[in-house]
Amino acid sequence: MGRFLLTRASQALFTLWVVVSLVFLLIHATGDPIAVLAPQQMNAHERAILRAALGLNQPLAVQYVRYLAGVLHGNLGVSYYSGQPAMRLILERVPVTLELVGLSIGIAVVLGVPFGIWAAVRSDRLADRLLRSLSVLGSSVPTFFLGILLIYVFSVAFNILPASGAGGLRHYVMPACTLAFFRIALFTRLVRSTLLETLSQNHVRTARAKGVSEPVVILKHALRTALLPLVTVFGLQFGQLFAGAVITETIFALPGMNRMALQALYRLDFPIILAYVLVVAAMFVTINFLVDVAYGVLDPRVRRHG
Amino acid sequence: MGRFSRPPAAPAVILLLLVLAAVFAPLIAPHDPEQQSLLMRLTPPAWVQGGSWRYPLGTDGLGRDVASNMIYGLRVSLLAGIVSVAISVVLGGVAGLLAGAAGEGWFDAVLMRLVDIQLSIPVVLIALAVLALTGRGLGKVILVIGLVGWAQYARLVRASVMAERQKDYVLAARLLGASRLRVIFRHLLPNVLGPLFVQVSVDIPRAVELEASLSFLGLGVAVTTPSLGLRIAQGYQYLFSGAWWPSVLPGLALVLLVLCENLIGDWVRDVLDPHYRRRRKPGVPPAPATIESTVP
């Protein structure tokens, strides 16, 4: 187990380094923040001073080393606009995003898993058809349009939920449902198909032959084996949810880190973008690492062949 | 195959109509999509009180005809979907073929690591970053969506080639003196086409959604291009004053297009994926749901 953990951890760190370096290159290869930052009337001399003040006159290699050192210290410079430390600005917004993502995963699991078990137990044409239609529909409605429809119905027409801003739980209802919508169908299908597969396996047959009651067979013996693929999807979905949160936070004006990063993108506020990418990449890598470890814990075969 | 040999009728017909509308947009659209008539702004659809048949689906906040913008928007959506996926297929396909044909080695290892990294970052984030830095435009959007889509194809083609090259017919071809390139293009490639086509049918609706999402966020096409996503974003601000048609109607057109493409994609998978077909016998569960989600 020790070696397995070590290999996975070093792979995770390598991925992190690649992502961080790629973003740095991409940003510096394509945009000149001075062109965006400097007012029209600023002359060449003043522009040069501004460039030097932001460290943008250094050779790219120097900037890269400084940047890496900054990454290690958790110091990514200050926002070009507000002058506050970029890392702190992003970290302040993390809780809102985590609440949004956590709530929507929660909704998807709480609705999707029982529905999937039900569909597996009653595996007939009707349940199958209903599920297929729902999941096709779920993957055909873009997040931003679903958000708009919800706002029109619940905020404009009936006026029972707030359309924007952060505050109590009420502000999270529509954004979380928007994000969860597609995942409910996804989790249901997944639980159903893996559960159906495990229900025909030997250990389940043995349990039944022993006279174990049907609910116990399903919940204790079959569902546990079926959890493995769910863990993988959970990890993959986490990344997708973050991407979806960019759009959801924008529509519902939730002050999360994704919305802040999008605004920083519009005005080429490099430190904020870099801080955001670093935080997101770190979260991805951590989640993937945890998924790998969970796999190793749940299935000894993975550990051995690591 | 039996009942899966024919495409589902309704989605096929609707998709055909949408494609025709997009192709012949200049002939069908009642107005120039760009033409503004400020006196007629926010005219509701014809069937709502205050609407007129001059603008069957109403006008938006600048007095542009909603119906015409939807028809031209379909054009942009279809163009973005098809061209970008074609770029991904060529890029990823070539990379995958090379990796698969080269076999295990440094090239394969590096390529697969890159694929893993690419797949672990949501496509939307990469596309957003690139577009924010390079500026917007339909060509750029299509190129970016095409570029970030390569990884799936590289992985798919590599896996197929790896599986196929073990088989006897490849050995036979090599023994007959066929060159390496000939084996790749003449013998391996045709066997990879099935899964490739399945992936394409899944990816086109995804690319359509991605273009719409990027344009919605203001980082996609230029402001004057009649993209459905952009029009939804522009109509969104009037939602709160009760004018739902400039955002909801283009949105419904987008959903209809993507839905039909997805249903056709499901059918393509049923027909072409033997793994899936085998498991759809009565009483046997269908293939597991795809774990990669669509565009957020």
Side-chain angles (χ1 to χ4, degrees):
Chain A
M1 195 69 187
R3 233 191 103 194
F4 169 77
L5 285 179
L6 204 67
T7 332
R8 285 296 143 95
S10 59
Q11 277 177 3
L13 281 178
F14 176 72
T15 309
L16 203 56
W17 172 73
V18 171
V19 170
V20 160
S21 305
L22 274 181
V23 169
F24 177 85
L25 275 182
L26 190 70
I27 278 183
H28 286 266
T30 42
D32 179 15
I34 299 297
V36 183
L37 269 176
Q40 283 290 316
Q41 66 274 21
M42 212 180 215
N43 64 33
H45 180 64
E46 286 166 333
R47 278 168 198 260
I49 293 174
L50 182 60
R51 198 178 291 273
L54 296 173
L56 290 165
N57 57 340
Q58 306 277 350
L60 205 58
V62 175
Q63 287 192 45
Y64 178 64
V65 172
R66 268 195 191 171
Y67 162 65
L68 275 191
V71 166
L72 291 177
H73 290 110
N75 171 21
L76 290 169
V78 296
S79 159
Y80 293 164
Y81 281 83
S82 68
Q84 291 183 347
M87 205 61 186
R88 206 183 73 207
L89 283 175
I90 285 291
L91 287 178
E92 278 171 6
R93 305 291 191 97
V94 168
V96 171
T97 300
L98 278 184
E99 275 161 20
L100 173 65
V101 168
L103 261 178
S104 41
I105 282 235
I107 293 174
V109 168
V110 166
L111 290 179
V113 172
F115 195 42
I117 296 175
W118 172 78
V121 175
R122 294 190 30 139
S123 103
D124 53 17
R125 275 273 158 90
L126 184 72
D128 187 32
R129 274 208 179 158
L130 199 69
L131 267 177
R132 267 186 91 147
S133 331
L134 274 180
S135 62
V136 172
L137 192 68
S139 59
S140 300
V141 182
T143 309
F144 67 91
F145 186 56
L146 182 63
I148 287 178
L149 285 181
L150 287 181
I151 287 179
Y152 185 69
V153 172
F154 293 104
S155 298
V156 180
F158 293 105
N159 197 15
I160 44 177
L161 286 170
S164 64
L169 196 61
R170 276 163 48 97
H171 286 90
Y172 286 95
V173 175
M174 284 201 290
C177 288
T178 305
L179 261 188
F181 180 65
F182 165 71
R183 274 99 199 163
I184 298 172
L186 179 78
F187 284 8
T188 306
R189 268 180 88 161
L190 195 76
V191 168
R192 174 182 180 274
S193 60
T194 47
L195 200 56
L196 274 178
E197 231 162 275
T198 44
L199 277 177
S200 60
Q201 278 173 8
N202 282 337
H203 71 278
V204 173
R205 200 178 312 150
T206 311
R208 279 198 177 129
K210 280 195 309 188
V212 178
S213 72
E214 194 60 23
V216 177
V217 167
I218 289 167
L219 293 179
K220 209 177 146 203
H221 296 263
L223 194 61
R224 213 182 134 184
T225 329
L227 276 180
L228 213 61
L230 249 186
V231 171
T232 317
V233 174
F234 193 85
L236 282 172
Q237 280 304 308
F238 202 81
Q240 300 294 341
L241 277 167
F242 260 91
V246 177
I247 292 163
T248 319
E249 284 175 11
T250 307
I251 297 177
F252 294 100
L254 264 185
M257 60 186 255
N258 295 292
R259 185 155 164 265
M260 171 171 252
L262 191 67
Q263 284 161 351
L265 270 178
Y266 288 136
R267 39 192 206 193
L268 297 186
D269 197 346
F270 287 178
I272 297 270
I273 302 171
L274 288 173
Y276 170 76
V277 169
L278 197 68
V279 169
V280 172
M283 280 185 188
F284 278 166
V285 167
T286 314
I287 293 285
N288 281 340
F289 176 69
L290 288 179
V291 166
D292 278 351
V293 172
Y295 240 85
V297 171
L298 284 174
D299 189 343
R301 284 169 301 181
V302 177
R303 204 155 56 212
R304 219 173 305 132
H305 302 292
Chain B
M1 282 179 33
R3 68 194 184 95
F4 291 114
S5 53
R6 259 179 305 139
V13 170
I14 295 174
L15 188 61
L16 187 70
L17 288 177
L18 291 177
V19 170
L20 287 177
V23 172
F24 297 107
L27 300 177
I28 298 170
H31 298 270
D32 173 0
E34 282 307 306
Q35 192 199 342
Q36 306 178 358
S37 46
L38 291 175
L39 287 175
M40 300 296 287
R41 54 196 294 273
L42 294 179
T43 308
W47 66 88
V48 180
Q49 194 175 13
S52 91
W53 280 106
R54 229 186 114 210
Y55 300 105
L57 298 182
T59 61
D60 69 5
L62 294 173
R64 292 175 298 199
D65 180 40
V66 171
S68 306
N69 272 287
M70 282 162 61
I71 295 170
Y72 276 89
L74 283 174
R75 220 178 200 200
V76 172
S77 290
L78 281 166
L79 191 73
I82 293 169
V83 178
S84 61
V85 170
I87 295 174
S88 305
V89 169
V90 171
L91 274 179
V94 169
L97 268 181
L98 290 178
E104 312 240 332
W106 67 268
F107 181 76
D108 183 56
V110 169
L111 195 80
M112 282 304 109
R113 197 76 208 128
L114 277 179
V115 166
D116 282 347
I117 291 173
Q118 159 92 70
L119 286 180
S120 70
I121 314 170
V123 163
V124 148
L125 294 183
I126 310 175
L128 275 177
V130 175
L131 286 168
L133 297 167
T134 59
R136 43 203 211 169
L138 182 57
K140 279 179 200 158
V141 174
I142 292 177
L143 195 64
V144 167
I145 299 178
L147 287 178
V148 293
W150 74 284
Q152 282 286 3
Y153 292 94
R155 176 181 269 184
L156 188 100
V157 170
R158 172 187 169 272
S160 306
V161 172
M162 289 265 182
E164 290 295 326
R165 56 179 288 184
Q166 314 284 342
K167 295 190 180 162
D168 287 342
Y169 75 92
V170 174
L171 184 66
R174 295 291 316 246
L175 286 176
L176 282 170
S179 72
R180 203 163 230 215
L181 277 180
R182 189 181 158 83
V183 170
I184 291 178
F185 284 101
R186 190 78 210 162
H187 299 278
L188 291 179
L189 193 59
N191 285 297
V192 177
L193 286 183
L196 202 67
F197 206 62
V198 173
Q199 185 69 33
V200 165
S201 69
V202 173
D203 271 354
I204 289 182
R206 269 189 214 171
V208 168
E209 268 191 53
L210 187 54
E211 182 277 320
S213 302
L214 292 171
S215 297
F216 177 81
L217 290 175
L219 289 166
V221 299
V223 208
T224 49
T225 312
S227 150
L228 290 174
L230 185 61
R231 291 294 178 258
I232 295 167
Q234 290 167 340
Y236 172 53
Q237 52 183 308
Y238 301 103
L239 194 65
F240 297 95
S241 54
W244 48 271
W245 54 93
S247 52
V248 172
L249 291 178
L252 290 179
L254 179 66
V255 170
L256 193 65
L257 175 65
V258 174
L259 185 64
C260 290
E261 285 174 340
N262 273 333
L263 289 170
I264 298 287
D266 254 21
W267 166 75
V268 170
R269 186 171 57 180
D270 281 346
V271 172
L272 286 181
D273 192 342
H275 177 69
Y276 194 80
R277 197 163 59 226
R278 188 160 35 90
R279 296 174 45 158
R280 286 231 2 131
K281 281 177 193 157
V284 180
T290 41
I291 48 179
E292 307 287 336
S293 109
T294 56
V295 174

